[in-house]
C-alpha cells in the first residue's frame, strides 16, 4: 500500500451521493467502487470508495485529480501526515504547517497526464 490521501468532509457522504456528485465533473464510479478519470481516452483509477474517498497517487496528475475531486465533493484533500493539498489560483499546492509548496499549475499537470513519479 502506498501513501494515502483522503477527501475529508464535514458531513458524511453516502455512495449514492458520491456517484451523483462526481458524474457531472467527468469522473466515473466503477463496479468495484473505484473512481476513475480519463486522459486521452484511457481510464485511470484516481481513488476508491472506503466509506470516504481514498487515493494512493503515483503522479502529480493523480494528485491534481484528487484535488479536483475533493472540491467537487465539498471537502479537502489531506495526507497521512496532516498536510493539505489545495488548488489556489490555478496552482496545486501542498500546505504543511505554515509552509506552502507549489506542486504545479493545474492545467499543465492535467494536460501532461499520469506519468508515474
Amino acid at each position: 500500500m502506498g501513501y494515502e490521501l483522503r477527501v475529508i468532509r464535514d458531513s458524511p457522504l453516502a455512495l449514492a451521493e458520491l456517484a451523483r456528485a462526481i458524474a457531472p465533473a467527468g469522473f466515473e464510479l466503477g463496479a468495484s467502487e473505484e473512481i476513475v478519470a480519463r486522459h486521452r481516452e484511457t481510464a485511470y483509477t484516481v481513488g476508491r470508495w472506503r466509506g470516504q474517498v481514498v487515493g494512493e497517487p503515483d503522479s502529480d496528475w493523480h494528485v491534481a485529480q484528487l484535488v479536483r475531486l475533493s472540491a467537487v465533493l465539498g471537502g479537502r484533500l489531506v495526507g497521512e501526515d496532516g498536510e493539505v493539498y489545495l488548488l489556489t489560483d490555478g496552482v496545486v499546492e501542498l500546505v504543511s504547517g505554515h509552509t506552502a509548496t507549489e506542486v504545479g499549475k493545474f492545467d499543465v499537470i492535467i494536460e501532461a497526464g499520469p506519468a508515474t513519479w
Side-chain angles (χ1 to χ4, degrees):
M1 180 181 279
Y3 192 79
E4 287 188 347
L5 301 177
R6 297 177 181 275
V7 175
I8 307 295
R9 290 175 26 110
D10 291 335
S11 60
L13 182 69
L15 181 60
E17 183 182 1
L18 170 74
R20 283 190 304 273
I22 66 173
F27 293 100
E28 302 167 22
L29 185 61
S32 60
E33 299 179 347
E34 292 182 339
I35 301 164
V36 299
R38 295 190 176 273
H39 180 73
R40 296 194 176 113
E41 306 302 319
T42 302
Y44 296 91
T45 299
V46 295
R48 289 181 173 70
W49 175 252
R50 295 186 191 153
Q52 67 184 62
V53 176
V54 177
E56 295 179 29
D58 61 3
S59 72
D60 288 346
W61 183 86
H62 285 94
V63 172
Q65 291 290 2
L66 285 166
V67 167
R68 186 168 71 96
L69 181 59
S70 68
V72 166
L73 297 175
R76 62 191 187 288
L77 187 62
V78 180
E80 291 177 12
D81 297 326
E83 74 278 16
V84 177
Y85 294 81
L86 305 168
L87 183 61
T88 306
D89 297 326
V91 175
V92 177
E93 294 181 323
L94 163 65
V95 179
S96 182
H98 298 291
T99 304
T101 304
E102 183 177 309
V103 175
K105 293 186 178 188
F106 180 83
D107 292 341
V108 172
I109 294 170
I110 294 300
E111 179 61 29
T116 303
W117 289 314

